């Protein structure tokens, strides 16, 4: 199969991202992730397949609009006291209920697209990449959760002379990751905790594979620019010891930077849309934490 | 969106006490004495102008105007603002506006009494002055103003789309003329010529020409002789006015106890005894000369947006460089002089008596553009140390005057671009950017010599002027194309105007079976307004020379002097006439057409009857229809579905403009720059099929409809690019606003991204770009607590204004513009 025909699940393509890699970039978010981080700000990224989401804030309600109820082929949407009750998994990648929803209250996270379609959209901003040194950042979910698709994207991007950055949580096939790293111009690699046990509690998986993959990538690609990122999560890794341990683990090499990202709750509404509980509750980051931790990270 | 950081402007407001005033004590003193007071009206210019005009009836208008200016110059009170280093203002201390009764004197008695109380941009006037206005000035002008003449001669079918009352005071906001509340379009005089030659030399040129006339030639006797006499008189006028400041400064010095101020006043006297009669010899003289020229230009006429400053970093540079080199002046002293100019400029308000005129540009708007950067007439990069000094001043001194405009080209140095980006990030919206790569080739191919095209100055809001080549000065027609759309939906009628047939009766849209049929009907409505607009503008162009003359502008214009013709005459040999007309509601129209095409004709999700009914009801009880319309493809997202419609509408507009251009032998170009008029024009348009509610603002310039740009700033720029029809040349400026949150541009990395965006904008050959970097939260807070946010500046359509000076409507408009955060 041609790379451009390779299909995969994507949940968002975001233009003009300026914080994930060099220059003005377009982020391609691939759906599906092996981890279940409690703090995940993109819960819609976790499962591979498209998901139906319902934002009751946007819903016009049963008195003004009953389109979804009428449109549902299996009568799985009913009105309960002015609000919708949806008792179904998604029946179709473009279900009638979402397609007919006037406000986007019902929508679908994720669509099956070809690498060629993704890159056509990415290339629309080519004139901005040319001036800024930007390009495409492939992210997720976990980009390498769909290794064939991710690799096809990166190979086709290379043919089209699009600068690429891969963002990964590192929990993926070693072979595919190394192949991907041979195709990209930059790598963003998340390291969340040096404690396997804590890592398992926070993300549902240990950190052994992640740390091994990181070491292998560093050895195999000594010249690849790598940004290591740690999301700083209250109660999980927001102590100086946590960050110091990660910083100490990072190899001394020229093209490696270390960034801390403060926890935020911007993803919270999306949990509601997906009828999932928000695992972090009201947890907040102490505002004094970041400056201290950044100092620790900088002292590496 | 979260408020994660404040722009420097916001920080300054949050800690006013902490503002660094070192080296700026003088300008802060002047600024704070005046800047937040309600402005007053000064009637002296109007009074002396009228008294002279009463004495000269029957003479050539240019000569009458020159005599009137001399009479004003001899009699108007002269001032030196306390603490100022530059002499000269044309009204009492404080913020002030002056009157031009030749434009609107016929309705002072009706309108002036409301001036202090009007909701938008009120003005104070004393009872004694009011009496003179109503009893002496207004009666003379009744029956004589241009505006009355225009109202009389417009044929009924054109009048019907122009005015909404018998006297022509209320605009219909469909095809609006703007020529009757200003004397001329925005303008840039050739300051450089005056600096180099002085008015004595210009006057001698006129005297030599006068002596060479053939007194047996009728044209020489009847046209050229009085014209040249007018030139001689107007040079006298400006020199007399300047000389009066010498005496004033000496007198003030004699009374002054403070020795330092006394010395300053004596130096002012010395400078004013030299310029503008003689060539400037140093930076201080050059600044004073420039100031006299622009102030006297204000006395001459009400040019739109007052008067622009031209390429200040170019014509001032030789004086600056020499003075710095010889140690006559320091860089800080030069900056202080510039800022002295800005604070007095800020006090002069563009006063609109005409209620329609006031709607067009609210917030005491005036924008005396100062151009920096760009290219030399040879095509080299023109950036110099003064360009940087202007940017520094703009960053560190939070004032919305002057309207700083940076010319950008493909070889703009990185350092200049970096400082532009830093200044943009500062949050006050300056400088606006104008693209040489669009303007220069366009102006050259339309007939300007290449070296003059390369030397253009930004003028008014977003326009470009060549001070010795441009000759078109008529205020342009504003066309409300959203009303064309409304007439299509309601068979030639607008709900605001009841059953009156205003456009074409294209029939019931529900009877239209295909998109093609529907679109043809739109085009018919569109062309109908366009043709009426062109007819209207022709009448305007023909009438204006009977009412307006500009001897002072003419004496500084090469072509006027060569041809011995007033700048306001209908045609001047060798001139280029780049006229334009305003397209209002671009995004509104495009998004509405795209929504109908997609939902009604393609997907069949909505019936036309359902849409029409929802529009009539202003979407009340039709929320699902409105939401569906809103979610259709829209302009500003780099979506070919909407953009192809936008491009076609621009194309058909240009095709008609080209036909009109050929007919009239001038350039008639489409422009997308509404200033603030998209708000009043929206007030007559009922709900539109893009989901816009009745009577709310139309889309702004070539920006997307409010909130319709969902794909970020790159898509906004690309939509603009893809809809431009680069193969055609009947286009003028397109105003494009992009609002970024401070988070997007934080740090050195953020500065880099702004630079990258500007470079790409330049590559795309878009005409204009301005950034607005504030938080939505800041604007909301300013609405709630205006007193704490008095000095908050925001960008509106080509200029910056104090947010709290704006009406609630416009404040909301700014808040609603999509904020391109990056979460």
């Amino acid at each position: 199969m041609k790379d451009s025909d390779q299909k995969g699940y994507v949940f968002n393509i975001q233009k003009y991202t300026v914080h994930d890699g060099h220059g003005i970039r377009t982020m391609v978010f691939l759906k599906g992730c092996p981890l279940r981080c409690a703090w995940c700000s993109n819960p819609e990224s976790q499962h591979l397949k498209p998901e139906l989401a319902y934002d009751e804030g946007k819903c016009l309600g049963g008195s003004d609009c009953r389109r979804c109820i009428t449109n549902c082929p299996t009568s799985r949407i009913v009105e309960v006291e002015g609000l919708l009750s949806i008792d179904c998994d998604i029946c179709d990648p473009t279900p009638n209920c979402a397609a007919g929803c006037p406000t986007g209250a019902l929508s679908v996270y994720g669509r099956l697209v070809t690498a060629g379609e993704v890159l056509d959209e990415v290339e629309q901003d080519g004139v901005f990449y040319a001036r800024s040194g930007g390009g495409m950042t492939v992210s997720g979910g976990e980009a390498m959760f769909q290794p064939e698709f991710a690799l096809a994207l990166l190979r086709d991007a290379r043919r089209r002379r699009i600068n690429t950055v891969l963002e990964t949580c590192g929990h993926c096939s070693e072979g595919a990751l190394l192949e991907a790293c041979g195709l990209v111009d930059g790598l963003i690699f998340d390291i969340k905790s040096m404690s396997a046990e804590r890592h398992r509690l926070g993300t549902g998986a240990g950190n052994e594979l992640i740390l091994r993959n990181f070491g292998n990538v560093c050895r195999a690609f000594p010249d690849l620019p790598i940004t290591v990122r740690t999301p700083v999560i209250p109660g999980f890794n927001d102590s100086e010891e946590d960050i110091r341990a990660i910083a100490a683990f990072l190899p001394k090499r020229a093209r490696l930077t270390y960034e801390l990202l403060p926890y935020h709750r911007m993803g919270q509404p999306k949990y509601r849309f997906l009828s999932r509980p928000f695992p972090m509750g009201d947890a907040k980051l102490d505002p004094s934490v970041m400056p201290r931790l950044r100092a620790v990270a900088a002292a590496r | 969106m979260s408020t994660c950081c404040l722009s420097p402007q916001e920080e300054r407001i949050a800690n006013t006490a902490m503002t660094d005033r070192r080296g700026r004590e003088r300008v802060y003193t002047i600024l704070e004495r005046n800047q937040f007071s309600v402005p007053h009206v000064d009637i002296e210019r109007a009074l002396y102008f009228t008294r002279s005009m009463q004495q000269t009836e029957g003479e050539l208008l240019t000569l009458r105007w020159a005599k009137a200016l001399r009479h004003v110059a001899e009699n108007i009170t002269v001032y030196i603002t306390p603490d100022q280093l530059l002499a000269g203002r044309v009204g009492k201390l404080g913020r002030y506006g002056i009157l031009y009764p030749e434009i609107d004197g016929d309705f002072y008695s009706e309108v002036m009494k409301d001036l202090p109380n009007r909701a938008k941009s009120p003005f104070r006037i004393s009872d004694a002055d009011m009496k003179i206005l109503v009893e002496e000035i207004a009666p003379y002008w009744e029956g004589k103003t241009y505006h009355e003449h225009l109202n009389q001669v417009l044929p009924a079918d054109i009048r019907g789309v122009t005015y909404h009352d018998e006297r022509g005071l209320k605009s219909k906001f469909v095809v609006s003329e703007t020529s009757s509340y200003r004397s001329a379009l925005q303008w840039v005089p050739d300051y450089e010529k005056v600096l180099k030659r002085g008015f004595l030399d210009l006057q001698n040129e006129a005297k030599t020409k006068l002596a060479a006339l053939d007194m047996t030639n009728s044209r020489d006797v009847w046209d050229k002789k009085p014209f040249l006499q007018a030139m001689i008189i107007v040079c006298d006028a400006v020199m007399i006015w300047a000389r009066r400041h010498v005496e004033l400064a000496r007198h003030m010095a004699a009374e002054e106890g403070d020795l330092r101020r006394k010395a300053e006043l004596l130096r002012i006297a010395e400078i004013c005894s030299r310029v503008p009669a003689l060539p400037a010899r140093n930076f201080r003289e050059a600044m004073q000369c420039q100031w006299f020229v622009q102030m006297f230009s204000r006395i001459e006429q009400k040019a739109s947006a007052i008067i622009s400053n031209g390429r200040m970093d170019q014509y001032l540079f030789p004086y600056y460089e020499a003075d710095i080199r010889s140690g006559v002046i320091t860089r800080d002293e030069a900056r202080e002089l510039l800022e002295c100019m800005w604070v007095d400029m800020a006090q002069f308000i563009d006063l609109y008596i005409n209620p329609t005129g006031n709607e067009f540009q609210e917030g005491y708007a005036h924008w005396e553009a100062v151009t920096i950067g760009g290219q030399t007439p040879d095509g080299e990069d023109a950036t110099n140390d003064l360009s940087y000094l202007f940017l520094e001043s703009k960053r560190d001194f939070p004032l919305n005057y002057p309207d700083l405009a940076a010319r950008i080209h493909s070889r703009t140095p990185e350092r200049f671009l970096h400082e532009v980006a830093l200044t943009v990030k500062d949050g006050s919206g300056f400088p606006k950017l104008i693209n040489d790569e669009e303007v220069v080739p366009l102006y050259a191919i339309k007939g300007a010599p290449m070296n003059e095209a390369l030397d253009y100055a930004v003028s008014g809001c977003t326009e470009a002027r060549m001070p010795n080549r441009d000759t078109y000065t008529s205020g342009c027609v504003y066309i409300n194309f959203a009303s064309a759309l409304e007439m299509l939906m309601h068979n030639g009628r607008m709900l605001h105007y009841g059953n009156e047939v205003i456009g074409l009766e294209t029939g019931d849209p529900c009877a239209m079976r295909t998109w093609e049929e529907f679109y043809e009907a739109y085009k018919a409505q569109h062309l109908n307004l366009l043709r009426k607009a062109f007819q209207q503008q022709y009448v305007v162009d023909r009438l204006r020379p009977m009412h307006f003359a500009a001897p002072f502008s003419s004496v500084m214009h090469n072509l006027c002097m060569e041809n011995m013709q007033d700048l306001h005459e209908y045609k001047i040999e060798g001139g280029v006439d780049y006229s334009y007309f305003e397209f209002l509601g671009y995004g509104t129209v495009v998004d509405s057409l795209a929504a109908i095409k997609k939902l009604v004709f393609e997907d069949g999700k909505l019936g036309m009857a359902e849409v029409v009914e929802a529009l009539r009801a202003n979407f009340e009880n039709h929320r699902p229809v409105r939401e569906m319309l809103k979610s259709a493809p829209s302009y500003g997202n780099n979506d070919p579905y909407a953009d192809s419609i936008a491009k076609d509408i621009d194309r058909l507009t240009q095709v008609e403009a080209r036909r009109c251009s050929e007919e009239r032998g001038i350039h008639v170009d489409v422009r997308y720059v509404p200033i603030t008029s998209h708000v009043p024009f929206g007030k007559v348009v009922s709900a539109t099929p893009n989901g816009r509610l009745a009577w709310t603002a139309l889309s702004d310039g070539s920006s997307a409809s409010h909130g319709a740009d969902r794909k970020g700033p790159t898509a906004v720029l690309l939509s603009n690019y893809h809809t431009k029809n680069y193969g055609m040349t009947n286009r003028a400026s397109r105003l494009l606003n992009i609002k970024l949150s401070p988070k997007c541009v934080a740090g050195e990395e953020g500065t880099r991204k702004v630079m990258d965006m500007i470079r790409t904008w330049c590559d795309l050959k878009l005409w204009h770009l301005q950034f607005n970097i504030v938080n939505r939260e800041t604007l909301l807070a300013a609405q709630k607590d205006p007193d704490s946010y008095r000095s908050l500046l925001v960008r509106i359509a080509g200029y910056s204004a104090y947010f709290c000076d704006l009406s609630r409507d416009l404040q909301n408009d700014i808040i609603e513009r999509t904020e391109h955060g990056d979460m």
Side-chain angles (χ1 to χ4, degrees), chain B residues 487-498:
Chain B
M487 293 172 209
L488 165 66
M489 300 310 291
H490 305 299
N491 194 21
R493 291 154 179 86
M494 295 170 71
L495 301 187
H496 182 73
Y497 293 116

Side-chain angles (χ1 to χ4, degrees), chain A residues 111-158:
Chain A
R111 58 193 166 111
L112 189 63
V113 287
T114 66
E117 286 165 343
V118 170
L119 289 168
D120 285 349
E121 196 170 333
V122 169
E123 270 190 325
Q124 288 172 347
D125 276 14
V127 60
F128 291 93
Y129 313 149
R131 278 297 187 180
S132 67
M136 170 174 72
T137 299
V138 181
S139 179
E142 167 49 48
M144 299 312 294
F145 196 69
Q146 300 180 62
E148 292 309 315
F149 181 55
L151 288 169
L153 268 177
L154 294 174
R155 275 192 300 265
D156 205 12
R158 171 157 283 203

Side-chain angles (χ1 to χ4, degrees), chain B residues 10-292:
Chain B
E10 291 172 307
E11 277 171 9
R12 265 196 307 262
I13 292 161
N15 324 285
T16 328
M18 289 169 66
T19 311
D20 185 3
R21 299 180 173 214
R22 274 169 305 166
R24 287 198 167 81
E25 295 81 1
R26 180 195 306 274
V27 287
Y28 270 108
T29 304
I30 301 171
L31 179 69
E32 285 169 353
R33 204 180 281 140
N34 305 303
Q35 208 47 32
F36 305 113
S37 60
V38 175
H40 60 262
V41 179
D42 192 291
I43 65 156
E44 285 195 5
R45 184 267 176 201
L47 180 64
Y48 297 119
F49 187 85
T50 302
R51 282 186 182 164
S52 173
M53 292 299 271
Q54 283 171 315
Q55 305 302 317
T56 58
E57 285 188 12
E59 298 176 30
L60 181 84
L61 191 60
T62 311
L63 184 56
R64 293 181 70 198
W65 216 278
K67 287 178 176 175
L69 292 180
R70 187 177 59 192
H71 190 65
V72 174
E74 286 167 345
N75 291 289
I76 196 171
T77 311
V78 287
Y79 300 91
I80 296 169
T81 312
D83 300 308
Q84 255 293 354
L85 295 176
L86 295 170
R89 46 191 292 143
V90 292
K92 290 188 262 275
L93 301 183
R95 287 211 285 183
Y96 68 102
I98 62 176
L99 294 169
Y100 303 85
E102 64 272 27
I103 300 174
D104 42 28
D106 60 308
F107 54 91
Y108 282 171
S109 44
E110 296 154 69
V111 175
M112 290 300 289
K113 62 181 186 315
D114 297 329
L115 208 55
N117 304 319
R118 69 183 183 191
K120 289 173 186 168
S121 321
F123 274 80
R124 288 180 289 135
I125 182 165
S126 75
D127 291 344
D129 283 351
M130 188 66 177
K131 196 168 147 65
I132 295 173
L133 264 188
V134 175
E135 291 177 10
E136 180 177 351
I137 298 177
Y140 173 73
W141 291 102
E142 259 167 51
K144 294 193 187 68
T145 64
Y146 161 76
H147 139 79
E148 289 166 289
H149 193 177
L150 181 63
N151 187 40
Q152 254 167 22
V153 302
L154 281 179
D157 67 319
I158 295 172
R159 240 196 130 273
V161 293
T162 310
Y163 299 126
H164 192 48
D165 63 341
E166 276 302 303
R167 294 196 56 197
L169 295 184
K170 286 186 190 149
S171 176
K172 192 94 168 197
F173 291 109
V174 175
V175 177
S176 288
E177 56 88 12
T178 67
S179 58
S180 75
Y181 50 83
R182 46 185 172 175
S183 325
L185 281 183
Q186 32 70 29
W187 194 255
V188 185
D190 185 356
Y191 294 102
E192 185 177 359
K193 186 182 340 189
V194 181
L195 293 181
K196 283 185 174 160
R197 292 175 54 187
F199 280 107
L200 265 182
D201 192 43
L202 292 175
Q203 191 178 43
N204 282 335
E205 182 188 335
K207 284 179 177 167
T208 308
K209 283 196 155 94
L210 184 63
L213 290 182
D214 175 0
M215 286 304 141
T216 62
N217 179 313
S218 314
R219 270 214 67 207
D220 280 18
V221 174
W222 292 99
D223 299 340
K224 295 179 181 175
K225 185 178 155 204
F227 174 82
L228 291 168
Q229 285 171 331
M231 297 303 103
I232 292 164
I233 290 171
V234 84
C235 289
D236 275 337
V238 67
M239 291 188 289
I240 289 166
W241 184 61
R243 287 291 307 193
R244 291 179 62 211
H245 293 86
V246 178
E247 289 128 45
L248 175 67
R250 286 198 183 125
H251 177 73
M252 286 169 76
E255 311 253 297
E256 179 62 56
D258 181 81
L259 287 180
R260 223 178 110 183
R261 182 61 184 159
K262 188 193 273 285
E264 283 171 6
L265 287 163
L266 289 174
R267 185 158 64 187
I268 289 172
E270 192 194 322
I271 293 169
C272 295
S273 64
R274 169 96 195 165
V275 292
L278 294 166
R281 293 169 304 186
N282 53 49
F283 188 71
R284 286 180 194 279
E285 287 181 358
M287 285 292 289
Q288 180 64 59
C289 177
Q290 199 277 8
W291 182 241
F292 275 140

Side-chain angles (χ1 to χ4, degrees), chain B residues 704-722:
Chain B
S705 301
H706 299 154
D709 45 340
R710 296 174 285 251
K711 293 277 177 68
T714 60
V716 170
L717 260 57
L718 288 170
S719 263
N720 220 294
Y721 167 76
H722 287 305

Side-chain angles (χ1 to χ4, degrees), chain B residues 621-793:
Chain B
N621 300 319
H622 293 81
R623 275 192 66 196
V625 176
R626 179 172 184 227
E627 294 303 326
M628 287 168 85
L629 293 167
K630 273 167 72 179
S631 65
S634 54
Y635 170 72
N637 296 297
N638 193 26
D639 178 347
Y641 194 94
D643 290 357
S644 61
I645 295 173
K647 187 171 192 168
D648 194 57
I649 285 173
D650 180 86
R651 187 195 58 78
L652 73 95
T653 307
Q654 286 204 50
V655 167
E656 187 63 19
R658 188 188 175 90
R659 198 174 76 101
C660 175
S661 302
E662 283 163 0
E663 215 170 84
R664 291 172 50 190
I666 65 172
H667 295 274
V668 179
D669 304 324
V670 60
R671 184 183 88 143
Y672 300 83
V673 185
I675 322 296
T676 61
S677 64
H678 56 298
V679 175
F681 277 88
K683 281 188 176 153
V684 301
V685 179
S686 65
T688 41
N690 60 334
R692 175 192 145 277
L693 292 175
W695 333 128
T696 61
L698 305 177
S699 60
D700 170 10
S702 66
S703 303
S705 301
H706 299 154
D709 45 340
R710 296 174 285 251
K711 293 277 177 68
T714 60
V716 170
L717 260 57
L718 288 170
S719 263
N720 220 294
Y721 167 76
H722 287 305
T723 55
K724 264 193 73 169
N725 291 297
Y726 283 94
M728 307 176 83
T729 56
N730 282 92
R731 64 178 193 270
S733 61
R734 271 187 176 216
L735 178 137
L736 182 61
N737 294 317
I738 284 192
K739 197 155 100 176
L740 298 172
S741 67
K743 181 183 178 336
C744 269
V745 298
E748 184 50 33
E749 202 186 337
T751 310
R752 184 73 242 171
K753 310 280 163 158
V754 174
M755 291 167 70
D756 294 340
M757 177 151 271
I758 295 171
R759 285 275 186 220
T760 304
W761 161 82
C762 184
D763 291 344
L764 291 172
K765 303 189 196 313
L766 303 178
W767 183 296
H768 160 273
L769 179 65
Q770 62 198 28
F771 294 93
N772 203 340
I773 300 175
V774 273
N775 289 344
R776 181 186 169 82
E777 285 86 339
T778 310
L779 299 177
L780 290 172
Q783 273 194 326
K784 283 205 190 99
D785 180 17
D787 281 337
S788 305
Y789 290 89
R790 280 281 170 223
S791 63
L792 176 66
L793 293 177

